Amino acid sequence: MMQKIRLTTLMFFVSACCFAQLPAKPNRYTDSLNAVVQNGNDSSKSAAALLLSYYWVARDTSKSQQFIDLARIAGKQYPYQLALSYFYEGVLFYMKSDIASSERSFQEAIKRLEVFDTREALSFRSQAWHNYGILQQAKGDEEGFARIMIDESIPLAQQAQDTAYLGKNYLDLAIVFKNTQQYDKATTYLLDAINTLSAHKSNKATNNSTLNLINAYTTLAENYVLGGNHEMAKPVLDSAMAWLTRKPNDHLIVDYYSAEALYNVAMKQYREALVSVDSGVAKAKEQGRTYDEQRLLLQKYYALHNLKRYREAASVMDWLSQQPEMMTLLSSKLEVFKGMSETQAALGNFKPAYEWSVRYSQLSDSINGSRLKNEIHNMEIKYGNAEKQKAIDALKLENEKSSLSARNTRLMIWFLASVCILLFILAVVTFLYMRNNKRLSQQKDLFHQQQLREIEQQQQIHVGHALLQGEERERRRVAGDLHDGLGGLLAGVKMNLTGMATETKTKDLNRVVDQLDHSISELRRIARNMMPEALLKFGLETALKEACENLISDKVNIRFQSYGIRSNIPHEKQLTIYRVVQELLNNAIKHAYASEILLQCSQNNDTFFITLEDNGRGFDTSAIRSFKGIGLSNVKNRVDYLSGKLEINSTVNEGTSINIELNVAE
């Protein structure tokens, strides 16, 4: 959530002086300014020296300082030039990383510029307040930066009618609201910024306005995605790319790729997101922008995780967890902790997953963002009502002499009432805070218990899965041994006995041959039940039909109905479905003594439905847990294995109805 703060700081000097645009030929520009310094009057010397100071500030700070000193000497009798010298000195100290001196210089410039009411002076005051606010933001004071923007910088830019700088202020204020997850407010200010910057026609700041406009588009796209308005983000991204095509900028293209990756992840276009991340990371590395590279890799993690490439995702997140830039910001640290927990859980590493989850929960509980949101909201209300308050103040001043006594009385009453209301609100807030803390503690305990239960359930599912797979492998082995081994031996014995019976014509020997023939048939039936050949050769629907036909007898009639069963169900899941049906049929015949059975099997997309109804003796469903047999237990385990649902309706002496839904997605 903090990604745009660094961009605001890097744009410091772009917005530092909209009147000091450098020409295409800097040598001619500096030569002309130096000529003014040498031959002009004191006022023009001071102004030219300040422009030369700004020219050298990013190239040679010592030369920049010399020109500021020269400007003060030449302009000592010109208060406006002296005031501007402190503005440029604030920029110089910032370049020297002397934040305290930079703050003092900007404050001095603000104080000295207050006596001037020209549009240029008002614009410089707005910029001085803005840059002072950025220094507070760099120290982590988001609230202070927002207060300065609302109370000082934006009103001054409006008075100066400086549309380019007003748009920049709207953009920076919107970033504060986006950083505090107030996306609707951020959208309002971003649209104001785009409209203001798009309408700006001044040739002096066209380049800066274009860069700020591109920045506003990419920020608005991110804000739409984070606020859940995904469909609104795409046209905004297209607008940003259109401007970047006309005005290429290596710095802003990184922010574009970051917003594009965020959008692709939100739209579940994970492969496209990886392309955006790789493009952005390459540009960020070229510019040495370590944190921007890391926030792009965070989007790569989300894409890989959603593509179920968990090991690659874990590798990315493990690297991010070791980066000081990423782990310094609490919001980024929360995302890392949560990502590590989810990835480890997906890999089946439940102990480290639980440990990361605990760290995430503890850090999340320690962050309280409500105070900042409320104070910024109050400042916005104050700013929105500023014009109305001015009118009210003017009327009060006109009637002040005639109504002084009554007003003082009213003020005292309002003061006492406000104190009472404030004390009441404080008591209510304290009560609610204590109650919410208690609820939060209870919710944390419930959450931890739920996590432990979920981990235990996952382990049980894995164990059940392994048991079912082992059971099927053993069935397959035993069926093969019975059919190919013992079945072949019995068939050979039958042939020999048949030959002997033919030669000796002994009735007893013929009876033995018949019994042996029956035993071979029974052996083959058992082998087919353990590993049905029809399922392997012809698929699930044919195997289920054959299973029903094999159980039909004079005492039992089975009707089988199938609808839309697909042949592309994974073989392992086909086998599980076959075992569930086999177990249900056996229970209906052997335990319920049913004479009429209806079996319906159907499929809708990735959901497989089984319905079995019989006219057996039924049972009390409330006593299912006390049953000692393993039949229903096997059915329940297989249903859980396929993430399904099992519903049993039965009445004693009235039959049983069983409904099952299974997930058969590949």
Side-chain angles (χ1 to χ4, degrees):
M1 299 303 299
M2 304 293 288
Q3 58 265 34
K4 286 292 180 181
I5 292 178
R6 289 174 59 84
L7 179 59
T8 303
T9 304
L10 291 171
M11 293 294 288
F12 183 94
F13 292 105
V14 174
S15 61
C17 182
C18 64
F19 303 100
Q21 298 299 309
L22 299 182
K25 297 181 178 179
N27 290 336
R28 183 178 300 176
Y29 173 75
T30 56
D31 289 344
S32 62
L33 289 177
N34 280 316
V36 175
V37 169
Q38 296 295 326
N39 302 314
N41 57 41
D42 287 344
S43 178
S44 60
K45 282 183 181 180
S46 179
L50 290 177
L51 293 178
L52 285 170
S53 169
Y54 180 73
Y55 174 83
W56 287 107
V57 71
R59 297 170 174 82
D60 188 335
T61 55
S62 61
K63 281 189 177 183
S64 180
Q65 182 66 65
Q66 291 173 10
F67 282 111
I68 287 177
D69 295 338
L70 178 60
R72 285 181 177 168
I73 294 172
K76 60 184 177 180
Q77 296 184 3
Y78 300 95
Y80 183 67
Q81 297 297 335
L82 285 176
L84 291 185
S85 72
Y86 286 101
F87 177 90
Y88 286 103
E89 187 180 56
V91 177
L92 174 62
F93 280 130
Y94 182 84
M95 287 299 293
K96 292 182 176 180
S97 299
D98 188 348
I99 303 301
S101 298
S102 182
E103 289 177 332
R104 287 193 295 269
S105 295
F106 282 124
Q107 287 288 63
E108 185 66 24
I110 292 168
K111 179 180 178 182
R112 289 174 178 266
L113 286 169
E114 285 178 351
V115 299
F116 302 99
D117 58 358
T118 64
R119 289 175 58 183
E120 181 177 303
L122 290 171
S123 181
F124 268 108
R125 278 176 62 194
S126 175
Q127 294 174 60
W129 272 115
H130 178 274
N131 293 341
Y132 179 78
I134 288 177
L135 296 175
Q136 310 315 304
Q137 186 188 44
K139 295 190 294 186
D141 187 3
E142 284 275 333
E143 175 192 341
F145 177 64
R147 186 190 306 113
I148 289 170
M149 295 293 295
I150 293 173
D151 293 345
E152 307 292 348
S153 188
I154 289 178
L156 286 169
Q158 290 174 331
Q159 292 179 48
Q161 299 178 21
D162 188 345
T163 55
Y165 206 69
L166 180 61
K168 176 71 170 73
N169 280 308
Y170 284 146
L171 170 60
D172 289 347
L173 183 59
I175 291 172
V176 174
F177 284 120
K178 184 176 77 71
N179 291 341
T180 54
Q181 302 181 22
Q182 301 180 75
Y183 303 119
D184 291 340
K185 294 180 182 178
T187 297
T188 300
Y189 284 108
L190 284 167
L191 292 175
D192 287 344
I194 290 173
N195 293 334
T196 303
L197 293 168
S198 298
H200 180 66
K201 301 298 183 181
S202 172
N203 292 328
K204 293 182 178 180
T206 299
N207 183 59
N208 290 345
S209 297
T210 302
L211 297 180
N212 288 329
L213 181 60
I214 297 171
N215 191 8
Y217 275 122
T218 57
T219 305
L220 180 60
E222 285 187 354
N223 189 71
Y224 276 142
V225 174
L226 295 173
N229 297 324
H230 303 155
E231 68 283 354
M232 302 288 288
K234 181 57 177 172
V236 178
L237 282 172
D238 292 340
S239 297
M241 177 51 70
W243 278 102
L244 282 168
T245 302
R246 283 180 280 176
K247 189 72 176 178
N249 183 281
D250 286 340
H251 185 93
L252 293 178
I253 194 65
V254 175
D255 296 311
Y256 170 82
Y257 284 129
S258 178
E260 185 180 53
L262 185 68
Y263 167 76
N264 284 328
V265 170
M267 297 300 293
K268 300 182 180 180
Q269 299 171 171
Y270 304 121
R271 302 188 189 281
E272 291 83 348
L274 292 177
V275 174
S276 301
V277 168
D278 291 341
S279 300
V281 167
K283 287 291 184 181
K285 285 183 177 179
E286 290 176 6
Q287 301 169 40
R289 294 165 61 183
T290 304
Y291 180 76
D292 292 316
E293 176 187 354
Q294 292 171 14
R295 66 189 179 95
L296 279 161
L297 289 175
L298 190 60
Q299 296 304 318
K300 183 175 184 178
Y301 157 76
Y302 289 125
L304 291 171
H305 185 86
N306 284 287
L307 287 171
K308 298 183 179 181
R309 293 159 61 177
Y310 298 125
R311 296 196 180 279
E312 296 176 63
S315 177
V316 171
M317 190 57 73
D318 183 62
W319 184 83
L320 288 175
S321 69
Q322 302 174 38
Q323 305 310 307
E325 295 85 0
M326 179 62 62
M327 301 304 287
T328 298
L329 297 175
L330 293 179
S331 58
S332 299
K333 187 183 291 187
L334 276 175
E335 289 187 87
V336 170
F337 286 175
K338 184 178 180 181
M340 291 295 289
S341 175
E342 292 176 348
T343 306
Q344 292 300 324
L347 290 171
N349 302 326
F350 298 109
K351 182 177 180 180
Y354 175 73
E355 292 172 352
W356 281 108
S357 176
V358 170
R359 294 178 66 180
Y360 169 82
S361 179
Q362 292 173 344
L363 180 61
S364 178
D365 292 343
S366 68
I367 299 176
N368 183 3
S370 60
R371 180 180 62 84
L372 177 59
K373 287 185 179 181
N374 291 335
E375 292 181 358
I376 291 177
H377 176 70
N378 292 336
M379 287 187 290
E380 186 192 32
I381 294 174
K382 178 181 177 183
Y383 168 69
N385 295 325
E387 296 300 323
K388 294 180 182 179
Q389 189 62 44
K390 288 180 181 179
I392 293 172
D393 291 342
L395 291 174
K396 285 184 178 179
L397 288 173
E398 292 178 2
N399 299 314
E400 185 175 2
K401 291 182 180 180
S402 61
S403 60
L404 181 60
S405 178
R407 186 181 64 179
N408 287 339
T409 301
R410 288 196 300 270
L411 288 175
M412 182 60 69
I413 292 173
W414 277 108
F415 174 76
L416 293 176
S418 299
V419 170
C420 294
I421 293 173
L422 182 63
L423 291 175
F424 175 74
I425 292 174
L426 183 62
V428 172
V429 169
T430 302
F431 170 75
L432 292 176
Y433 177 77
M434 295 177 65
R435 188 179 66 177
N436 289 339
N437 273 357
K438 183 177 179 181
R439 289 181 178 177
L440 184 61
S441 178
Q442 293 174 347
Q443 291 175 355
K444 284 171 56 181
D445 292 339
L446 291 174
F447 176 71
H448 292 159
Q449 293 174 6
Q450 182 179 357
Q451 283 186 318
L452 291 173
R453 287 196 298 268
E454 289 177 354
I455 292 173
E456 183 179 356
Q457 289 174 357
Q458 288 293 330
Q459 290 176 338
Q460 290 176 352
I461 291 173
H462 288 316
V463 170
H465 183 192
L467 289 173
L468 289 175
Q469 287 183 328
E471 179 182 329
E472 292 300 336
R473 285 195 297 269
E474 186 62 17
R475 283 174 178 266
R476 190 187 300 270
R477 186 189 66 79
V478 173
D481 290 346
L482 289 174
H483 188 275
D484 299 333
L486 184 56
L489 291 175
L490 291 174
V493 172
K494 175 189 172 184
M495 292 176 63
N496 292 332
L497 289 174
T498 302
M500 295 173 62
T502 302
E503 293 173 2
T504 59
K505 302 184 184 293
T506 304
K507 293 183 179 180
D508 292 337
L509 195 56
N510 286 332
R511 186 173 64 256
V512 172
V513 171
D514 291 339
Q515 292 174 348
L516 185 58
D517 190 32
H518 179 72
S519 298
I520 292 173
S521 298
E522 182 66 16
L523 176 65
R524 288 175 177 170
R525 185 189 65 79
I526 294 172
R528 281 196 302 272
N529 284 339
M530 298 187 72
M531 185 49 61
E533 294 181 4
L535 180 64
L536 298 175
K537 294 181 179 180
F538 306 110
L540 178 60
E541 185 173 2
T542 301
L544 293 176
K545 182 177 180 182
E546 182 179 284
C548 293
E549 292 174 349
N550 289 338
L551 294 174
I552 294 175
S553 65
D554 296 337
K555 297 181 179 180
V556 179
N557 181 40
I558 301 176
R559 288 180 293 159
F560 173 66
Q561 299 174 353
S562 61
Y563 307 96
I565 299 177
R566 300 179 182 177
S567 60
N568 61 349
I569 301 175
H571 176 72
E572 183 179 358
K573 295 186 178 182
Q574 290 188 35
L575 186 57
T576 301
I577 294 171
Y578 182 84
R579 294 304 183 199
V580 169
V581 171
Q582 191 179 44
E583 193 68 49
L584 294 178
L585 291 172
N586 287 336
N587 288 342
I589 295 172
K590 293 182 179 180
H591 302 295
Y593 301 105
S595 61
E596 289 290 337
I597 299 173
L598 172 63
L599 173 64
Q600 294 179 329
C601 296
S602 62
Q603 184 177 352
N604 182 14
N605 295 328
D606 292 332
T607 304
F608 195 94
F609 300 93
I610 300 173
T611 299
L612 187 141
E613 299 179 357
D614 66 58
N615 64 346
R617 62 183 184 179
F619 59 92
D620 184 2
T621 55
S622 63
I624 289 179
R625 295 182 179 274
S626 64
F627 288 179
K628 296 182 180 180
I630 64 173
L632 282 179
S633 177
N634 284 339
V635 172
K636 183 66 169 61
N637 288 337
R638 288 185 166 89
V639 171
D640 290 342
Y641 170 60
L642 292 184
S643 303
K645 300 177 183 178
L646 172 63
E647 178 185 352
I648 301 177
N649 298 309
S650 183
T651 304
V652 177
N653 297 324
E654 293 186 11
T656 301
S657 174
I658 299 176
N659 297 303
I660 298 175
E661 294 182 17
L662 303 173
N663 179 19
V664 295
E666 296 184 15

